[in-house]
Amino acid sequence: MERWPWPSGGAWLLVAARALLQLLRSDLRLGRPLLAALALLAALDWLCQRLLPPPAALAVLAAAGWIALSRLARPQRLPVATRAVLITGCDSGFGKETAKKLDSMGFTVLATVLELNSPGAIELRTCCSPRLRLLQMDLTKPGDISRVLEFTKAHTTSTGLWGLVNNAGHNEVVADAELSPVATFRSCMEVNFFGALELTKGLLPLLRSSRGRIVTVGSPAGDMPYPCLGAYGTSKAAVALLMDTFSCELLPWGVKVSIIQPGCFKTESVRNVGQWEKRKQLLLANLPQELLQAYGKDYIEHLHGQFLHSLRLAMSDLTPVVDAITDALLAAQPRRRYYPGQGLGLMYFIHYYLPEGLRRRFLQAFFISHCLPRALQPGQPGTTPPQDAAQDPNLSPGPSPAVAR
């Protein structure tokens, strides 16, 4: 049987060049991801020529090319027009930068802040257009939420409300769950879960009417057990499940829901070392004597030092998160999840596919590596160290000398 002729190398280069030009005219960015995809397709072409009959090889190559290039394509964007968006937590960080970006794009931005005279609020008032409106709101106060809801309904009658960005977040303790006061769990839930829940429910009539968007800033700490972030991670896990529920229930209304799971970024709250020092001192001052004796002050100091050390790896450029929020608001088909930040792909791969012991060790190496509590250290009277703790290479007998103080 006569075999189909396979195009020569020169012919393939010509076809690839023409296809590349056509794709660049449409919706692909020329960069390392695109070049890598083309290199992989060329390697696949070489394998197909040698391992498969021409019809099967063409089918495989066509399918692989469509999948690879469609993943790299710019998503179709909706026009900004007169769309209005409410963003919470705009005093600093992701909220402030997103408010500035959306205002520059022509959105009508309703930006909530804890204090109208905070540095972030003053910056927004100075650098943004008159379209941006600053609203004072504390998500732990129902009266503040009700006032913002009424203002939003009154000031979006002509444009409608296109999007809600649940950005405001709260965390005040970095410590083991046993060392964290129950009040800390409640305060995290009040802001990160119940506040977002009440505001979202209050705005749903407007969002259903516009077939708009709900974008919520979550955290990988809500997907995996980060050491010493029990209160914060629990609240973020709760709000992520809530948003997944909204995503299913609001589908018939045309409302699309996205969750942003950013890596570690240097927002103002992360950079405020003095604030974390005060919180550590407050934790020590209010810790029950029994727990302080069992764990020891050195243990808490070690956790604090490890936490500050991990923050040195944080990214200072907040653009990936701002771009993810913008895409979730304007993409014709936004993703359910966005993962802006370095190393998150590897982190989630380890979390979902590797054994539990390796997952735990990776998080400890990446974030906080515990030392042995005082009561479990050799030579201490009372409790004998359990076999698991004695054999765990990630537990040191005391604070790590590698952590800068």
Side-chain angles (χ1 to χ4, degrees):
M1 179 182 296
E2 183 180 358
R3 293 181 62 85
W4 292 8
W6 195 270
S8 65
W12 268 113
L13 288 176
L14 180 61
V15 172
R18 289 176 178 173
L20 177 60
L21 288 174
Q22 182 63 33
L23 289 167
L24 288 176
R25 291 192 191 105
S26 56
D27 62 353
L28 282 180
R29 299 181 180 91
L30 180 60
R32 284 184 295 179
L34 176 58
L35 295 176
L38 292 175
L40 289 174
L41 289 175
L44 181 63
D45 168 42
W46 183 84
L47 287 174
C48 287
Q49 291 187 51
R50 285 152 179 80
L51 301 178
L52 296 175
L58 284 172
V60 170
L61 194 61
W66 181 84
I67 292 172
L69 298 180
S70 64
R71 296 282 292 181
L72 296 171
R74 291 187 182 98
Q76 181 184 354
R77 287 287 183 89
L78 303 175
V80 173
T82 59
R83 300 182 195 275
V85 176
L86 174 67
I87 310 171
T88 66
C90 294
D91 303 82
S92 63
F94 303 140
K96 184 183 71 174
E97 296 304 317
T98 301
K100 291 161 64 176
K101 171 71 176 294
L102 296 184
D103 177 75
S104 69
M105 295 174 65
F107 277 91
T108 297
V109 178
L110 307 179
T112 76
V113 293
L114 272 176
E115 299 179 9
L116 291 174
N117 293 321
S118 66
I122 294 172
E123 180 182 345
L124 289 175
R125 196 179 291 117
T126 302
C127 71
C128 292
S129 73
R131 291 189 308 274
L132 185 137
R133 302 296 296 269
L134 288 172
L135 308 174
Q136 189 279 326
M137 183 177 68
D138 184 339
L139 281 172
T140 65
K141 298 179 179 179
D144 285 8
I145 297 177
S146 297
R147 187 175 65 252
V148 168
L149 291 176
E150 292 302 320
F151 183 94
T152 304
K153 293 172 183 176
H155 287 78
T156 58
T157 52
S158 59
T159 62
L161 180 69
W162 172 251
L164 165 64
V165 179
N166 289 307
N167 166 73
H170 173 73
N171 181 38
E172 60 187 45
V173 168
V174 178
D176 291 13
E178 186 180 12
L179 301 176
S180 304
V182 174
T184 300
F185 285 81
R186 289 198 176 100
S187 63
C188 284
M189 290 295 291
E190 282 293 334
V191 176
N192 301 340
F193 178 76
F194 287 110
L197 169 63
E198 187 171 354
L199 184 65
T200 303
K201 282 174 62 67
L203 293 175
L204 278 182
L206 297 178
L207 295 168
R208 286 190 284 102
S209 177
S210 66
R211 301 174 67 86
R213 304 292 168 84
I214 300 172
V215 183
T216 300
V217 178
S219 170
D223 287 336
M224 56 190 80
Y226 270 67
C228 301
L229 290 183
Y232 179 72
T234 300
S235 64
K236 287 298 185 178
V239 78
L241 182 57
L242 172 67
M243 292 303 150
D244 284 340
T245 303
F246 277 141
S247 180
C248 296
E249 296 175 349
L250 296 174
L251 192 61
W253 297 93
V255 178
K256 294 182 171 61
V257 182
S258 297
I259 300 175
I260 315 295
Q261 304 282 60
C264 190
F265 288 84
K266 287 184 180 178
T267 59
E268 283 85 342
S269 61
V270 167
R271 290 198 299 259
N272 195 339
V273 177
Q275 182 183 57
W276 290 111
E277 178 67 26
K278 290 179 181 178
R279 291 172 176 174
K280 181 201 71 178
Q281 295 296 341
L282 186 63
L283 175 67
L284 285 169
N286 292 282
L287 201 63
Q289 193 63 28
E290 179 186 359
L291 284 178
L292 186 59
Q293 290 178 354
Y295 282 88
K297 181 180 178 181
D298 287 347
Y299 180 87
I300 297 173
E301 293 284 357
H302 171 77
L303 298 181
H304 180 71
Q306 290 268 304
F307 172 66
L308 295 182
H309 179 71
S310 72
L311 297 184
R312 297 177 185 177
L313 304 175
M315 296 176 60
S316 56
D317 183 11
L318 308 185
T319 302
V321 180
V322 175
D323 288 346
I325 294 173
T326 305
D327 188 77
L329 288 170
L330 286 179
Q333 296 296 330
R335 304 176 195 170
R336 293 276 297 275
R337 290 284 196 283
Y338 291 82
Y339 300 96
Q342 296 178 345
L344 286 182
L346 174 63
M347 187 180 301
Y348 275 90
F349 175 82
I350 291 173
H351 176 68
Y352 285 119
Y353 298 109
L354 295 189
E356 191 273 336
L358 292 178
R359 300 199 302 264
R360 184 180 69 251
R361 292 178 187 178
F362 175 80
L363 284 176
Q364 290 175 344
F366 174 78
F367 189 56
I368 291 178
S369 179
H370 288 76
C371 65
L372 279 175
R374 175 191 295 169
L376 297 180
Q377 293 177 14
Q380 292 293 327
T383 308
T384 301
Q387 186 175 3
D388 290 346
Q391 295 178 352
D392 193 336
N394 292 290
L395 290 177
S396 57
S400 171
V403 178
R405 298 292 181 185

